[in-house]
Amino acid sequence: MHDEVDRIVEAWERERPDLDVTPLTVLSRVSRLSRHLDLARRAVFARHGLETWEFDVLSALRRAGAPYRLSPGALLTQTLVTSGTMTNRIDRLTQRGFVSRLPSPDDRRGVLVELADLGRTRVDGALADLLDEERTLLAGLPDEDRIRLADLLRSVVAPFDAH
C-alpha cells in the first residue's frame, strides 16, 4: 500500500539525497491524519450546532463531573488558550445558554463556569457522534494495532504535555 506521504518522501529522496527525510514518514502522516480528523470533527460538531472550540470548553466542564464547574483558569489549562480568549469564549457560551457564571465560594472576586443543561445535552450528543466517527476512521486497524499506535503516540506527545 502506498500513500501520498510515500510519494512525497520518494521525491525528496530523489531531489535531496543529502538529507535524511525519515521524520517525514511519521510526522507527515500524523499531520495529514490530523487534517482529516479536524474535518471529521468539524462536520460532527456542526451537526450539533457547535464550533470546535465550543465543544472543547463544554467537554472540559462535562469531564469535571457533577456539578460540572471549573474556574476559568482550569479551563485555560485544559484548552490551551489565553485568558482573554477564554473570557470571550465564556461570554459567547453564556449568551448561547450553554454555561453560566457563578461566584466562587473560595474567592470573592473569582467566578466558576458551570455547564448548563442545554450545554450538557449538546456536548453529550456531539461526543457520542464523534466517537462513532473516530471509530470509523480507525476501522482499518485491528485492536492490538490501535493499542500499539496509542502507546507509541503517547511516548511522542507526553514530553510536550509535561511542559
Side-chain angles (χ1 to χ4, degrees), residues 46-85:
R47 288 195 302 267
H48 290 271
L50 294 172
E51 298 287 334
T52 300
W53 68 265
E54 290 174 313
F55 179 84
D56 289 345
V57 175
L58 297 176
S59 63
L61 290 165
R62 181 67 168 100
R63 288 190 312 266
Y68 311 111
R69 293 179 189 149
L70 290 172
S71 69
L75 288 169
L76 288 173
T77 301
Q78 292 191 35
T79 60
L80 301 175
V81 297
T82 65
S83 62
T85 298

Side-chain angles (χ1 to χ4, degrees), residues 129-145:
D129 286 352
L130 174 63
L131 292 172
D132 287 343
E133 185 70 25
E134 290 183 353
R135 272 187 214 85
T136 300
L137 290 174
L138 294 172
L141 284 178
D143 288 345
E144 60 274 2
D145 287 347

Side-chain angles (χ1 to χ4, degrees), residues 81-105:
V81 297
T82 65
S83 62
T85 298
M86 182 54 65
T87 298
N88 180 269
R89 289 181 176 184
I90 293 167
D91 289 345
R92 291 171 66 186
L93 290 169
T94 300
Q95 290 169 357
R96 293 197 64 194
F98 292 155
V99 303
S100 60
R101 283 187 173 92
L102 303 172
S104 173

Side-chain angles (χ1 to χ4, degrees), residues 4-72:
E4 186 61 25
V5 173
D6 289 321
R7 288 183 275 284
I8 291 168
V9 168
E10 289 167 4
W12 278 123
E13 287 173 336
R14 181 186 67 245
E15 295 299 316
R16 291 295 310 268
D18 57 310
L19 295 176
D20 174 14
V21 296
T22 56
L24 294 176
T25 65
V26 174
L27 298 177
S28 290
R29 286 185 175 96
V30 169
S31 178
R32 294 175 72 80
L33 178 60
S34 175
R35 180 68 180 134
H36 290 294
L37 179 59
D38 184 53
L39 291 171
R41 285 182 166 186
R42 286 176 189 268
V44 167
F45 300 151
R47 288 195 302 267
H48 290 271
L50 294 172
E51 298 287 334
T52 300
W53 68 265
E54 290 174 313
F55 179 84
D56 289 345
V57 175
L58 297 176
S59 63
L61 290 165
R62 181 67 168 100
R63 288 190 312 266
Y68 311 111
R69 293 179 189 149
L70 290 172
S71 69

